[in-house]
Amino acid sequence: MGTDTLALLAEMPLFHDVDVDQLSSLGIRARLKTLESGQILFDETDQSRDVYFLLSGCLLAVHLTPDGREMIFGRIDIRTYQGELAALDNGERSLSMYAHRQAQILVVSQADFIAVMDQIPLVRQRVVRDLVATVRNLTERLYEATLFSAEQRVRSYLVRLALESGQMHKGGEIHDAPTHSEIANWVGSNREVVSRIMSGLKKSGIIHTQRKLIRFDEPDTLLQSLSEDI
């Protein structure tokens, strides 16, 4: 089981070009964990320091407000890792995370994750690069939240979604698309406002939506209108 999970770990982008034998020689271990839909991986008061690699399924990163509302920060991409902040600084989790649908995860202990970073410079460089990307992303979101209207934020989100998915072209489709509630939490608005904006974009022929699908019928118009507003 240990060898099999190490082989899976070596397939993650963070360990690209790192040999399984090198991980094994460091005594690195990974265990497989399955989460059912709705099951929590960790919450914001969790004291664990493990790092998690998503093999399949869907995880949501969320923050629970004092009044019980759930703010969704985003979906976690398959083959990416989570939990590195707590592993690096011994602090509490910055967000809660749970399975949106059944998910398979590789779990690496804090000690093993730190050992890999200490002993394999390539992995350390990638972790630092990913942390920088996270800071840039948060800075961009703060900028948009400060200067953009709700409609501009929704359009910017859709453009980013299309670009990141390689679907920024006429007829490009996002399957298993985020719900209006998820979009609202991401852009700092509410579901009713987002639904109105999405409906307007659909009536204008810029996008087409149906359950779990967003199709970009006029991506150039979406991008151009956003640029004009900025």
Side-chain angles (χ1 to χ4, degrees):
M1 182 66 167
T3 303
D4 291 343
T5 55
L6 268 189
L8 290 173
L9 189 65
E11 293 176 359
M12 298 297 102
L14 181 63
F15 299 106
H16 181 64
D17 290 333
V18 176
D19 194 86
V20 176
D21 291 338
Q22 188 175 9
L23 294 175
S24 181
S25 68
L26 293 174
I28 306 303
R29 293 178 294 175
R31 59 184 175 86
L32 196 61
K33 181 182 182 68
T34 300
L35 293 180
E36 299 301 327
S37 178
Q39 188 174 353
I40 294 175
L41 178 60
F42 57 77
D43 62 33
E44 293 171 68
T45 61
D46 198 293
Q47 296 298 311
S48 71
R49 302 291 182 263
D50 294 332
V51 178
Y52 306 94
F53 294 79
L54 180 60
L55 296 177
S56 65
C58 180
L59 295 175
L60 292 182
V62 303
H63 170 67
L64 295 178
T65 64
D67 60 0
R69 290 186 300 114
E70 179 181 88
M71 296 182 63
I72 301 174
F73 272 67
R75 299 189 186 196
I76 306 307
D77 294 329
I78 292 175
R79 294 166 58 81
T80 61
Y81 59 98
Q82 302 296 319
E84 75 281 9
L85 296 184
L88 290 172
D89 73 355
N90 285 315
E92 292 185 344
R93 301 295 187 180
S94 57
L95 294 168
S96 298
M97 198 161 296
Y98 72 90
H100 189 52
R101 59 173 181 269
Q102 187 184 71
Q104 278 202 319
I105 298 159
L106 280 175
V107 184
V108 176
S109 71
Q110 177 189 31
D112 283 351
F113 185 74
I114 297 299
V116 170
M117 287 190 61
D118 286 343
Q119 299 299 320
I120 306 179
L122 180 60
V123 173
R124 180 167 63 249
Q125 292 166 10
R126 287 172 176 163
V127 171
V128 171
R129 177 203 62 195
D130 291 343
L131 290 172
V132 170
T134 298
V135 172
R136 290 185 183 278
N137 180 267
L138 291 173
T139 301
E140 183 179 351
R141 290 182 66 179
L142 178 61
Y143 172 84
E144 292 180 358
T146 303
L147 299 180
F148 282 17
S149 67
E151 182 164 351
Q152 289 171 324
R153 296 199 300 275
V154 169
R155 282 187 271 152
S156 177
Y157 175 84
L158 292 174
V159 168
R160 186 184 301 113
L161 187 65
L163 290 172
E164 291 177 351
S165 304
Q167 298 298 315
M168 193 62 183
H169 57 82
K170 190 176 180 66
E173 294 184 345
I174 304 295
H175 296 274
D176 194 22
T179 65
H180 289 182
S181 292
E182 288 179 62
I183 296 174
N185 285 322
W186 182 266
V187 303
S189 186
N190 60 65
R191 185 182 60 79
E192 291 75 15
V193 170
V194 169
S195 295
R196 188 183 71 245
I197 293 168
M198 295 290 285
S199 178
L201 292 172
K202 184 175 181 179
K203 288 178 181 177
S204 299
I206 295 174
I207 63 172
H208 172 76
T209 62
Q210 60 188 64
R211 181 174 174 79
K212 298 288 187 179
L213 174 73
I214 298 175
R215 187 180 71 224
F216 299 93
D217 291 339
E218 296 294 339
D220 290 342
T221 301
L222 181 66
L223 186 58
Q224 181 181 2
S225 62
L226 180 61
S227 301
E228 288 172 350
D229 285 341
I230 297 174

